[in-house]
Amino acid sequence: MRSITVNASKTYDVLVGGGLLSQAGEKILKACGGETAFLVTDDVVDELYADIVEKSLSTAGYTTIRFVFPYGEQSKNMETYVSLMDALARAKLTRSDVIVALGGGVTGDLVGFAAATYLRGIKLAQIPTTLLSMVDSSVGGKTAVNLTAGKNLAGAFYQPGIVLCDYETLKTLPQEVFKDGCAEMVKHGVIQSAELFELLKEPLEPQMEDLIARNIIIKRDVVEKDERDIGIRQILNFGHTIGHGIEKHSGYTVSHGKAVAIGMAITGRAAWRMGVCEENCYLEIIDMLKHLGLPYTTDVAAEALIEAAFSDKKRSGKSITEVLPEKIGKCKLHSFNFDELEVFIKLGLED
Ligand SMILES: NC(=O)c1ccc[n+]([C@@H]2O[C@H](COP(=O)([O-])OP(=O)(O)OC[C@H]3O[C@@H](n4cnc5c(N)ncnc54)[C@H](O)[C@@H]3O)[C@@H](O)[C@H]2O)c1
């Protein structure tokens, strides 16, 4: 088992290992305390893993309550958030109790936001069960729900008390969902670690514990420098400006991971054409996406992507910060105004 400590506004451990679900109760009790554990999960993960976690919580001495919502991005909204908040209030959860988020990034983001806002903040344990949520969303404290006007528009920075990544849960993950997490690992490799990038060329399954831990360390190191995303944390948004545009344009039918993969490919090509990186860097990104079965092209028009970028919450005033690869393992931030971004996106889209 690996243990990674995050020193943000709250200090907490991220544990990565096989079989952690059945140890969840004791680990959460040690990190968070409390008498009642309010377990939240979606209906797919509920069938697979909620009983194991609930049993472990009860064995550790918790009184348990379970809240299940329909799986998928369309549940990451105000309606589910409000019914969850009502359920927390009906259960009379107090600030010394703990909410346990069991599932992928949708569950983690939704439950994290509820934990941040119920009684102005209640203890939170994250048990990510998708690759994406293990290597990215469960660590770093970004929580949110989507509004009709856009994705993640209502949210809070709220760090968990503990994160438990049991990579054995990945065995039941559909291949397409697994690939979404691969996209985030490619992102971490390109922005920060040529070594990680190389490891992604090898079979992934035998190195799962190490890969998850490496990704968490990369994210941890960035988050510790800039928890509230006003500077260097923006480096984690590589591929996201265009990715969010693709997600939005598809009505969120293209998953976050696949959209980011396409975003990285287009951004990489534009960076090469701007002279920021060598052609080989861009080609390496494309080869990696192909190798992992991820998409790298889009039919969405430049105008739609630009419009989405400028309605994105990551814009500041009249400019938008893009993450440009200089070589594999090194990226830089670059600020574009509207006209410059238009040129940039068109460079990335042109054959
Ligand atoms: N907070 C952050 O920093 C951050 C970072 C990246 C992405 N996100 C968010 O994460 C979300 C995407 O997360 P996701 O890809 O995990 O999606 P998800 O939570 O919807 O999970 C994908 C699917 O896999 C199923 N599933 C989960 N675990 C499973 C398992 N072990 N076996 C079988 N099926 C399982 C779920 O029921 C769901 O149907 C998006 O909303 C995105 O905005 C947040």
Side-chain angles (χ1 to χ4, degrees):
M1 189 184 71
R2 300 279 296 272
S3 175
I4 300 148
T5 302
V6 182
N7 276 304
S9 49
K10 195 183 282 170
T11 296
Y12 58 97
D13 289 334
V14 183
L15 307 183
V16 185
L20 276 172
L21 286 194
S22 54
Q23 301 166 41
E26 54 176 288
K27 305 279 186 211
I28 293 171
L29 187 67
K30 198 162 162 235
C32 303
E35 284 167 11
T36 300
F38 194 102
L39 178 64
V40 188
T41 190
D42 72 29
D43 50 4
V44 172
V45 180
D46 180 49
E47 289 279 318
L48 293 164
Y49 300 115
D51 286 348
I52 308 170
V53 174
E54 200 170 72
K55 183 161 177 267
S56 171
L57 290 164
S58 304
T59 307
Y62 281 112
T63 302
T64 60
I65 300 167
R66 200 188 292 192
F67 180 95
V68 181
F69 66 90
Y71 76 92
E73 186 70 35
Q74 55 295 350
S75 280
K76 201 177 121 176
N77 59 20
M78 273 296 172
E79 208 184 322
T80 320
Y81 166 77
V82 170
S83 43
L84 173 54
M85 294 294 272
D86 277 339
L88 292 168
R90 277 198 307 276
K92 297 191 170 49
L93 231 67
T94 71
R95 259 203 220 129
S96 56
D97 294 319
V98 59
I99 305 184
V100 181
L102 172 70
V106 164
T107 305
D109 280 11
L110 165 78
V111 179
F113 185 45
T117 46
Y118 179 72
L119 300 179
R120 302 189 183 88
I122 174 168
K123 287 182 188 122
L124 167 69
Q126 290 273 11
I127 310 183
T129 61
T130 63
L131 182 59
L132 180 143
S133 56
M134 291 185 195
V135 300
D136 193 352
S137 62
S138 65
V139 176
K142 277 194 185 178
T143 73
V145 294
N146 305 328
L147 301 182
T148 322
K151 216 172 128 72
N152 296 330
L153 288 182
F157 288 96
Y158 194 70
Q159 303 292 343
I162 189 165
V163 182
L164 302 174
C165 301
D166 184 343
Y167 55 78
E168 281 177 11
T169 60
L170 300 178
K171 287 184 184 141
T172 54
L173 206 59
Q175 195 55 25
E176 287 306 308
V177 182
F178 184 81
K179 285 182 193 172
D180 290 332
C182 291
E184 301 289 2
M185 297 204 291
V186 174
K187 178 191 82 178
H188 286 147
V190 176
I191 62 169
Q192 210 79 296
S193 171
E195 204 178 303
L196 168 64
F197 195 86
E198 282 306 305
L199 292 175
L200 297 178
K201 295 176 182 169
E202 305 299 325
L204 301 181
E205 213 185 308
Q207 22 166 15
M208 222 53 241
E209 183 172 298
D210 182 49
L211 285 176
I212 295 167
R214 279 174 188 267
N215 278 276
I216 290 168
I217 288 166
I218 289 171
K219 180 144 188 198
R220 185 269 315 265
D221 289 351
V222 174
V223 167
E224 284 185 351
K225 286 188 196 123
D226 175 26
E227 184 175 346
R228 296 189 74 89
D229 203 11
I230 46 175
I232 194 63
R233 186 166 178 172
Q234 293 174 60
I235 207 104
L236 296 171
N237 295 334
F238 174 48
H240 280 55
T241 307
I242 292 167
H244 281 167
I246 291 168
E247 270 184 287
K248 191 174 175 188
H249 188 266
S250 75
Y252 301 101
T253 54
V254 175
S255 68
H256 180 76
K258 310 264 181 352
V260 167
I262 301 167
M264 290 190 289
I266 294 171
T267 308
R269 178 146 58 173
W272 156 51
R273 287 184 169 151
M274 281 172 68
V276 178
C277 65
E278 302 281 334
E279 183 180 17
N280 197 42
C281 167
Y282 154 65
L283 293 176
E284 277 217 68
I285 295 172
I286 297 292
D287 284 348
M288 180 59 81
L289 297 174
K290 283 184 188 165
H291 170 67
L292 295 169
L294 285 160
Y296 51 93
T297 56
T298 181
D299 295 334
V300 181
E303 290 68 27
L305 295 177
I306 295 158
E307 197 278 319
F310 271 86
S311 61
D312 193 281
K313 69 183 183 312
K314 290 189 174 71
R315 116 187 108 84
S316 89
K318 289 188 165 56
S319 68
I320 193 154
T321 303
E322 258 300 348
V323 185
L324 306 181
E326 296 179 295
K327 60 179 185 179
I328 300 298
K330 190 166 184 288
C331 279
K332 68 171 184 181
L333 298 178
H334 186 96
S335 181
F336 289 107
N337 66 27
F338 187 92
D339 293 338
E340 290 164 343
L341 189 76
E342 185 175 0
V343 173
F344 175 78
I345 290 181
K346 285 183 171 163
L347 279 177
L349 286 175
E350 272 165 22
D351 278 337

